[in-house]
């Protein structure tokens, strides 16, 4: 497979990791979903042929890993075709799924098509909490059956559970469940606060004490299983409890390429929330988008930076932090990520941490990710939305 290689513009990397958000449709209503708040306005989805052409162009540019995501990618009837096309192009493919509706027959079809890897998401360690967080009464039992079948068919399996205030105190039971399912990798990914999770931050952000205890529990299990299990436990600390931001996405437009259901190309899955016009793969080639579009060049390099980032000796390490977080918390995507202790907006983070440490019940109810709430957010941007108690469980 030919790649651009030595013809790369100076300082710009290749899109090595492609995330294909095939659809925003989903049977779950997770209140920390990474899909945009107004996802219900975006009902257009690329056709089978358009997705395959997108894969072809990305692979030609050097992309090697391809994640099928959503929403729930299983709701695409052509998923087998897309997997087969990706394998023929030479991608390593990963299905990122809730597991809802994934049958043995379909998993076998995916294997025949060349799927390499499956990641199954859980919301908690028991049915009551899992179904409460997902808004679906069938989700936990279906997930258990899917995870067992994934292993039975010989797939490498990632057990993913987003960790937050509602489930962090059962992290030992979550780890026990992941071990019982013989997971190869366990991602204990503490919630990052964008989109739906930011709307629900007061319900989701754990206290510092909870976080320290959860990480200690994870380390204890790492010691216990050393030499006895192949399972690798990965604990991701929320950046709210760091004093310096992460090098978000390894730099803007440097490594990761996300394509949304309607074909919009993004440098990260949250960038659609920014007041920036991003191009579509139906209108421009990926090569043109990656190298020449305003959206992908907007925050490349260091010229866009304000102080304190511009003169900071760590800017080549953290790239100023997350542009989406800067915009969502300060209203200006060019500001330093408020996670950074040098940011003049760092008090927004410390205040949120202080509130989490109070251990008082959050005001109001969680806002679930569903069509009614998405429509209301799109129309009014009001905070008075469908409360958790009124969500209709599917």
């Amino acid at each position: 497979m030919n790649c651009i290689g030595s013809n790369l513009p100076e300082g710009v990397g290749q899109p090595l990791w492609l995330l294909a958000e095939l659809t925003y449709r989903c049977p779950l209503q997770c209140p920390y979903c990474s899909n945009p708040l107004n996802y219900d306005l975006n009902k257009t989805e690329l056709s089978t042929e358009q997705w395959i052409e997108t894969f072809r162009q990305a692979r030609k540019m050097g992309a090697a890993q391809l994640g099928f995501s959503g929403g729930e990618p299983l709701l695409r009837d052509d998923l087998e075709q897309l997997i087969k096309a990706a394998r023929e192009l030479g991608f390593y493919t990963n299905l990122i799924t809730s597991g809802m509706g994934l049958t043995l027959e379909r998993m076998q079809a995916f294997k025949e098509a060349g799927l390499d890897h499956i990641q199954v998401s859980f919301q908690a360690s028991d049915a009551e909490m899992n179904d409460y967080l997902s808004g679906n009464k069938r989700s936990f039992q279906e997930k258990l059956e899917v995870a067992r079948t994934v292993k039975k068919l010989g797939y490498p399996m990632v057990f993913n559970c987003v960790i937050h205030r509602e489930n962090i105190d059962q992290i030992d039971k979550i780890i026990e469940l992941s071990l019982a399912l013989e997971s190869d990798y366990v991602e204990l990914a503490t919630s990052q606060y964008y989109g739906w999770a930011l709307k629900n931050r007061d319900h989701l952000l754990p206290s510092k004490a909870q976080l320290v205890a959860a990480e200690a529990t994870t380390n204890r299990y790492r010691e216990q299983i050393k030499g006895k299990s192949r399972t690798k436990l990965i604990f991701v600390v929320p950046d709210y409890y760091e004093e310096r931001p992460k090098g978000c996405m390894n730099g803007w437009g440097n490594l990761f390429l996300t394509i949304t259901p309607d074909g919009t190309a993004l440098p990260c899955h949250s960038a659609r929330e920014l007041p920036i016009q991003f191009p579509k793969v139906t209108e421009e080639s990926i090569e043109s988008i990656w190298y020449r579009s305003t959206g992908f060049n907007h925050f490349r390099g260091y010229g866009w930076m304000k102080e304190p980032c511009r003169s900071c000796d760590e800017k080549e390490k953290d790239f100023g932090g997350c542009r989406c977080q800067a915009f969502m918390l300060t209203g200006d995507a060019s500001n330093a990520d408020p996670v950074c202790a040098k940011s003049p907006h760092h008090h927004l983070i410390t205040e949120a941490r202080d509130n989490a440490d109070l251990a008082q019940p959050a005001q109001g109810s969680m806002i679930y990710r569903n069509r009614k709430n998405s429509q209301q957010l799109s129309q009014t941007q009001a905070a008075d939305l469908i409360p958790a108690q009124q969500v209709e469980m599917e």
Side-chain angles (χ1 to χ4, degrees):
M1 181 67 63
N2 293 325
C3 302
I4 293 176
S6 60
N7 294 324
L8 286 172
E10 185 178 356
V12 179
Q14 293 171 269
L16 299 179
W17 216 108
L18 173 63
L19 182 68
E21 293 184 332
L22 301 181
T23 180
Y24 284 144
R25 292 172 288 151
C26 186
L28 304 186
Q29 305 179 56
C30 303
Y32 47 77
C33 181
S34 63
N35 288 165
L37 295 172
N38 65 349
Y39 76 89
D40 192 61
L41 293 179
N42 302 289
K43 295 185 173 69
T44 303
E45 295 180 7
L46 296 181
S47 67
T48 306
E49 293 72 23
Q50 287 171 324
W51 273 118
I52 292 173
E53 174 60 18
T54 298
F55 300 162
R56 186 192 66 76
Q57 292 184 35
R59 183 73 184 111
K60 185 176 181 180
M61 292 181 65
Q65 297 206 46
L66 170 57
F68 295 105
S69 180
E72 177 47 70
L74 294 174
L75 294 175
R76 288 283 300 216
D77 294 335
D78 59 354
L79 185 51
E80 291 86 344
Q81 291 175 260
L82 298 179
I83 292 170
K84 185 174 186 294
R87 165 49 67 91
E88 290 173 350
L89 287 167
F91 280 102
Y92 182 90
T93 54
N94 181 22
L95 174 62
I96 303 166
T97 177
S98 69
M100 297 295 293
L102 183 52
T103 63
L104 171 62
E105 293 73 24
R106 202 162 191 206
M107 267 190 271
Q108 289 173 325
F110 292 162
K111 200 168 188 67
E112 291 172 7
L115 183 66
D116 295 295
H117 190 116
I118 296 180
Q119 174 180 305
V120 182
S121 68
F122 281 76
Q123 280 67 43
S125 63
D126 61 81
E128 182 178 5
M129 178 63 74
N130 193 97
D131 297 348
Y132 160 69
L133 289 168
S134 68
N136 191 304
K137 292 180 180 179
R138 308 186 313 274
S139 65
F140 188 68
Q141 291 304 321
E142 284 201 31
K143 289 171 182 290
L144 288 178
E145 293 173 14
V146 165
R148 290 168 182 145
T149 306
V150 167
K151 292 301 297 183
K152 187 183 299 182
L153 292 180
Y155 283 107
M157 185 181 77
V158 173
F159 175 108
N160 174 272
C161 187
V162 176
I163 302 298
H164 45 78
R165 191 182 189 90
E166 295 277 350
N167 65 6
I168 195 168
D169 292 332
Q170 59 171 232
I171 196 164
D172 55 339
K173 296 177 182 177
I174 293 171
I175 294 173
E176 290 282 0
L177 175 61
S178 71
L179 294 174
L181 293 172
E182 300 180 314
S183 307
D184 296 278
Y185 294 90
V186 180
E187 290 186 358
L188 304 167
T190 50
S191 183
Q192 303 296 324
Y193 298 97
Y194 314 97
W196 295 93
L198 182 59
K199 282 289 182 185
N200 290 301
R201 188 180 65 184
D202 290 345
H203 293 272
L204 299 176
L205 184 64
S207 67
K208 181 64 177 293
Q210 285 179 307
L211 188 67
V212 169
E215 191 166 18
T217 298
T218 304
N219 288 333
R220 175 164 54 84
Y221 273 94
R222 284 173 177 151
E223 289 300 314
Q224 288 179 8
I225 67 176
K226 187 181 295 184
K228 302 175 184 176
S229 171
R230 296 176 58 185
T231 300
K232 184 175 181 180
L233 301 178
I234 303 167
F235 187 87
V236 182
V237 177
D239 54 6
Y240 270 52
Y241 286 98
E242 303 283 358
E243 294 304 307
R244 290 289 182 273
K246 297 180 175 68
C248 188
M249 308 305 289
N250 202 47
W252 179 275
N254 188 54
L255 184 66
F256 293 91
L257 171 64
T258 295
I259 308 297
T260 69
D262 68 356
T264 302
L266 303 172
C268 78
H269 61 270
S270 295
R272 197 167 193 168
E273 304 283 354
L274 299 176
I276 297 173
Q277 187 66 41
F278 290 100
K280 293 184 178 182
V281 297
T282 52
E283 299 169 356
E284 296 183 45
S285 70
I286 290 181
E287 181 180 354
S288 175
I289 290 170
W290 185 262
Y291 294 118
R292 292 180 286 280
S293 70
T294 300
F296 274 75
N297 282 299
H298 204 95
F299 293 113
R300 280 178 171 150
Y302 308 103
W304 59 270
M305 288 183 172
K306 299 180 179 181
E307 295 295 350
C309 296
R310 184 181 291 270
S311 59
C312 180
D313 59 5
E314 297 181 65
K315 67 183 180 184
E316 295 182 12
K317 177 181 177 181
D318 60 34
F319 314 108
C322 177
R323 298 302 87 224
C324 301
Q325 188 153 263
F327 174 71
M328 291 176 191
L329 295 183
T330 76
D332 185 346
S334 297
N335 284 332
D337 187 336
V339 160
C340 184
K342 297 181 181 181
S343 166
H345 301 97
H346 187 57
H347 65 93
L348 299 173
I349 299 296
T350 58
E351 288 169 3
R353 295 193 310 222
D354 291 343
N355 288 337
D357 282 337
L358 292 175
Q360 296 177 351
Q363 296 296 312
S365 300
M366 281 199 299
I367 302 169
Y368 278 75
R369 182 262 196 215
N370 56 42
R371 291 183 61 190
K372 289 182 180 179
N373 282 337
S374 179
Q375 289 168 0
Q376 192 162 350
L377 278 168
S378 301
Q379 293 168 2
T380 68
Q381 296 298 307
D384 184 18
L385 303 174
I386 301 169
Q389 303 96 298
Q390 296 178 20
V391 169
E392 293 184 6
M393 299 284 278
E394 297 183 359

